[in-house]
Amino acid sequence: MAQKEIPEDWRKDVLAVLATEDPKQVVWEPLGRTRYEADFYPDWPYEVNTSFRAFLEQAKPTGCPIQMDRPPGETWEFLFIHKTRKAYGKILLTKDRKRILIFSAHRPLKAKLSCES
């Protein structure tokens, strides 16, 4: 299976949440934040938002849909560039489409995404 184009409605809603810069709406999963801080020290976690926006605002960004056990919502994983370095991202948009949970924003641990053969 190959990467798919990330749906425009998901991207639009994630971009709207990122634009709020509200820590109650843009939430980090603790392990994801720890990995980000280890890989991109001395960057602050909010600094990755610019890179997420640049990736999601592209004409046809691609990634893989991911089934997460919790919380309910729609999750996508993708590869993007953060400050000239390749990075792996995984973001969940909650069912109410008003919050995101950042699971990952770190250097890739594997060469391919989960949906690639």
Side-chain angles (χ1 to χ4, degrees), residues 12-32:
K12 181 183 74 118
D13 291 343
V14 169
L15 287 165
V17 174
L18 285 169
T20 70
E21 298 185 11
D22 181 346
K24 292 180 181 175
Q25 291 179 271
V26 180
V27 179
W28 280 82
E29 189 276 332
L31 180 56

Side-chain angles (χ1 to χ4, degrees), residues 73-87:
E74 184 179 355
T75 306
W76 281 83
E77 69 172 354
F78 47 87
L79 298 173
F80 67 106
I81 302 298
H82 179 58
K83 296 191 175 182
T84 72
R85 290 192 269 173
K86 189 174 186 179

Side-chain angles (χ1 to χ4, degrees), residues 24-86:
K24 292 180 181 175
Q25 291 179 271
V26 180
V27 179
W28 280 82
E29 189 276 332
L31 180 56
R33 183 179 175 134
T34 299
R35 284 184 177 167
Y36 173 80
E37 290 172 342
D39 283 354
F40 294 106
Y41 178 83
D43 293 1
W44 292 95
Y46 72 85
E47 292 182 76
V48 78
N49 294 353
T50 301
S51 300
F52 281 149
R53 283 194 297 270
F55 172 76
L56 294 172
E57 289 172 345
Q58 292 180 76
K60 294 185 179 194
T62 61
C64 300
I66 300 292
Q67 183 64 44
M68 301 297 291
D69 293 334
R70 57 141 186 98
E74 184 179 355
T75 306
W76 281 83
E77 69 172 354
F78 47 87
L79 298 173
F80 67 106
I81 302 298
H82 179 58
K83 296 191 175 182
T84 72
R85 290 192 269 173
K86 189 174 186 179

